Every structure is written in C-alpha cells, then in structure tokens.
Amino acid sequence: MGIAAIVLIAVVAVGIGILLWWIGAYNGLVRMRQDLKSAWSQIDVQLKRRHDLIPNLVESVKGYMAHERGTLENVIKARQQAVSAGSVGEKAQAENFLTETLRSLFAVVERYPDIKANQNVMALQEELTSTENKVSFARQFYNDQAARYNAAIESVPTNIVAGTGGFTKVDFFQLDAPAERAVPQVKF
C-alpha cells in the first residue's frame, strides 16, 4: 500500500467522521426544536384554558358591577388581543396586558362584598389563579428550552449546522409588566 492510498483512506475517514458529526449535530438541533415546540404547546394549552375562563368570570360579575363597565370592557378587549396574537413576542405582550387587566378586575371585585361572597365568582377566581401558576411553570420550562436551543445555535461548531439547516433563534416568553417583576412585599 502506497502513501497515496494511505492519504486517501485518511481523507475518506476524516470525511466520514465529519459527515457523522454533522448528522449528529443536525439531529440534536431537530430534537431541541421539537422539545421547544412541545414546551410552547404546554403554554398554549394553559393560555387557552385561561382565555376560556375569562368570559365566565366577566358574565358572573357583570350584574354586580354596572358602574365598572370600563374595567370589564378592558378585560374583554385584552382577552381578544391575547387570543389573536401571532408570534411568541406578540403573545407575551398581549398576555402581560391581559394579566394587568385581570388584576384591575380582581381589585374592583374586592370592593364589592356581594361579589366576594358569590361562590361562582370565587371558584372562577381561584381557577384563574391556579391557571396563572400553571402558565408560569410552563413559561419557565419553555424559556429553559429556548435558552438551550439558542445556545446550541450560537455555539461553535453547531452554528455551522444551524446556519446550513435553517435553524433560527427563538424569542423568550418574557414578562414585561413591571408589577410582575416587583418583589412581593410582606406587611404585618
């Protein structure tokens, strides 16, 4: 076996090694993208549940809050914006606005003893709070997956595979509401 044959075998072996690495990196990125889609679908399920609960809550308090029509209209408008939002960034912004309007609704409910005593309203409010917690956990999981995926896309040498395979960075589902970033204060 001559030197040319050894060099040819070495080049072929390196080429096969690079090809196997590229296939492994590509499949890893595909798996991360699927995990990311799964994480987003968990958020979407919880957001749909939240959106479905809001009309029931508004209907339940409407009769008691004739003078708070603006608050109810803001909640309905925010819900419509959240339902029709497209991208992750738009959804995050719309959901933050919806959260703010729901907080204002809950604050108004506190001023009406008749509403606070209504078991249906209290059950819906508790269900919404539970759903908010589930959305929060799902959002955290999604953001963890997005950070892992974005890091893989930006890291060398998988950024080469990502560039040729059409993988792009994704947005985080972030909180924009200053009230949600504030540290809760405990007063005794």
Side-chain angles (χ1 to χ4, degrees), residues 1 10 51 62 64 66 92 107 109 111 113 124 150 153 169 183:
M1 185 180 302
H51 298 158
K62 191 187 291 183
Y64 297 101
V109 165
R111 288 187 270 166
L124 284 169
N150 286 341
I153 285 177
K169 282 181 65 176
V183 177

Side-chain angles (χ1 to χ4, degrees), residues 62-177:
K62 191 187 291 183
Y64 297 101
M65 299 173 54
H67 301 293
E68 305 289 348
R69 189 172 193 85
T71 303
L72 294 175
E73 288 174 356
N74 284 341
V75 170
I76 292 168
K77 180 180 167 191
R79 180 190 173 273
Q80 288 300 329
Q81 288 175 348
V83 168
S84 62
S87 70
V88 171
E90 291 171 356
K91 279 193 181 281
Q93 188 176 12
E95 292 298 331
N96 287 329
F97 181 60
L98 180 59
T99 299
E100 287 179 29
T101 59
L102 282 174
R103 283 193 177 136
S104 66
L105 176 64
F106 292 152
V108 170
V109 165
E110 292 294 320
R111 288 187 270 166
Y112 291 85
D114 291 343
I115 298 175
K116 283 174 55 177
N118 185 317
Q119 293 298 318
N120 190 28
V121 171
M122 295 311 296
L124 284 169
Q125 192 172 355
E126 190 172 308
E127 191 68 30
L128 269 172
T129 302
S130 171
T131 303
E132 292 288 334
N133 289 336
K134 291 174 185 173
V135 168
S136 179
F137 288 125
R139 180 174 43 210
Q140 181 181 1
F141 181 69
Y142 170 82
N143 284 338
D144 289 345
Q145 295 296 321
R148 197 171 135 239
Y149 177 78
N150 286 341
I153 285 177
E154 292 176 348
S155 298
V156 175
T158 51
N159 63 345
I160 298 167
V161 176
T164 58
F167 296 91
T168 56
K169 282 181 65 176
V170 295
D171 292 332
F172 290 98
F173 195 69
Q174 296 180 337
L175 299 177
D176 289 334

